[in-house]
Amino acid sequence: EMSEMSERSKQNVAHGLAWSYYVGYLKIVLPRVKKSMEEFCRANPNLLACRKTWKLHILVPLSCDVCDDLEKADSNIQYVTDLTETTLARAGIKKRVYKHSLYAIRDEENQLWHCAVECATPLQSLYAMSQDECAAFSREERLEQAKLFYRTLEEILKGSKECADTYRLIAYEEPEEAETHFLSREIVWHLRQEHHEEIAVLEGSHLHAQSTALDSTELNLQISASDLPQPLRTDGF
């Protein structure tokens, strides 16, 4: 009975897509991301100086309108190269290839930010279902499913030790009126947050190193988490 109720309300669709995306793709590729970044950085030491950006940045458009070509979606996003690919035997497919693309993102000050970025492909399924009469997805239901997909995926990844610090989910709602560089600004915002996080860690380590030379009374003066740089906003769904 509960299963039938879930089927009628379509609650299981996004949940299943999130788990499938994790088990069938992210759990395979994310643990290898940092190694690919390290290999790239040895040949290109200046492009990915901030280690906090050594992640796969996953775009989650809540409209489910996934763009296949990021360069066409936003001219401030330029393809650079592919990172080292992973080849595995998977479900009877010999030498299945997994790879990520590195992009240069230009901000409003003409500065380039480099990162690996791609869209969450299961959202294409949600979009296709909303266009198919058999699935009977309304636009409102699709939006709710997209939010549920994001929340479910976020919870799954938070509990995954092997995927820790290898990804960043970038969920967003596109503005009603088209903005030429909306997507690049959204990505750059997250890259800036990662830079702030790295600076905070470095400054915290430096202060900790200095504190070892202080006496016991001075050691009681510790920096609280609230004193560290905080995100400029929170994206809640």
Side-chain angles (χ1 to χ4, degrees), residues 9-21 59-66 120-153:
S9 62
K10 305 182 181 71
Q11 292 174 354
N12 62 328
V13 176
H15 185 266
L17 285 174
W19 270 104
S20 177
Y21 186 45
L59 303 179
V60 185
L62 297 182
S63 67
C64 297
D65 191 5
V66 172
T121 52
L123 294 179
Q124 289 181 314
S125 297
L126 283 177
Y127 188 85
M129 289 175 71
S130 70
Q131 305 298 308
D132 193 309
E133 291 182 1
C134 295
F137 257 156
S138 68
R139 185 176 181 277
E140 291 74 20
E141 287 173 325
R142 185 183 70 199
L143 177 59
E144 289 306 310
Q145 288 294 315
K147 291 179 180 179
L148 179 57
F149 171 83
Y150 170 78
R151 290 194 298 268
T152 305
L153 184 61

Side-chain angles (χ1 to χ4, degrees), residues 163-232:
C163 295
D165 204 34
T166 61
Y167 67 92
R168 191 172 183 103
L169 298 180
I170 303 178
Y172 57 89
E173 288 191 84
E174 296 175 354
E176 293 184 5
E177 294 185 9
E179 294 183 24
T180 308
H181 300 303
F182 167 78
L183 186 55
S184 59
R185 286 200 304 271
E186 195 73 20
I187 297 171
V188 166
W189 185 88
H190 284 269
L191 293 174
R192 283 179 174 147
Q193 298 311 303
E194 289 169 335
H195 275 255
H196 290 326
E197 290 166 13
E198 178 156 292
I199 291 170
V201 170
L202 292 174
E203 288 180 347
S205 300
H206 180 62
L207 288 168
H208 178 71
Q210 285 183 327
S211 70
T212 58
L214 304 177
D215 61 35
S216 58
T217 56
E218 291 173 313
L219 283 172
N220 290 330
L221 300 175
Q222 304 217 0
I223 295 179
S224 68
S226 62
D227 294 321
L228 298 176
Q230 298 296 314
L232 300 178

